[in-house]
Amino acid sequence: MKVVLRLAALQAASAIILGLGWWFAIDNMHGLAALVGGAIAATLTLYAGVQTFSRPATDPHTIARQFVRAQQKKWLLAVVLFALALKGLAAYALPLILAFAIGVSFYKLALLWN
């Protein structure tokens, strides 16, 4: 769970940095869209982590089942969150999706952590 929290914190920090970057470089709505996109990445990470690791399990089958179910629910949640975000921020889809993609790219770093 420690890695999940660290990853979500990194994603949230990148969302804030990207949001401020777009805010100052273009305007507040672009900044808001970038913040929302990054926040979606962090939210999905936390959700999947809690769903996977909140119930202690030692059996590999149970652990795998919890992981798969958490991932399924995470992607359903992603569809809902993106639908809501794009409903209000459709004109600012580029920063929203770009910030999400950058946030998700941090998963590779999590593989390197001990």
Side-chain angles (χ1 to χ4, degrees):
M1 189 67 177
K2 183 179 177 182
V3 170
V4 171
L5 294 175
R6 183 191 284 177
L7 178 57
L10 182 61
Q11 290 171 322
S14 76
I16 292 168
I17 292 166
L18 291 167
L20 289 172
W22 281 90
W23 184 297
F24 289 115
I26 300 179
D27 64 20
N28 60 341
M29 291 305 292
H30 283 81
L32 176 63
L35 181 64
V36 169
I40 290 173
T43 300
L44 294 174
T45 297
L46 278 175
Y47 179 80
V50 167
Q51 290 293 311
T52 301
F53 300 114
S54 65
R55 289 172 248 120
T58 56
D59 174 45
H61 295 289
T62 303
I63 295 168
R65 187 172 40 254
Q66 286 177 194
F67 176 76
V68 169
R69 285 186 181 159
Q71 293 302 309
Q72 290 170 336
K73 291 176 185 178
K74 176 180 98 169
W75 289 110
L76 288 174
L77 180 59
V79 169
V80 170
L81 292 176
F82 266 103
L84 292 172
L86 288 171
K87 185 175 181 179
L89 298 167
Y92 310 97
L94 177 64
L96 186 133
I97 293 170
L98 186 62
F100 174 79
I102 290 169
V104 170
S105 72
F106 289 124
Y107 278 106
K108 186 172 183 175
L109 287 176
L111 296 174
L112 304 173
W113 294 334
N114 292 331

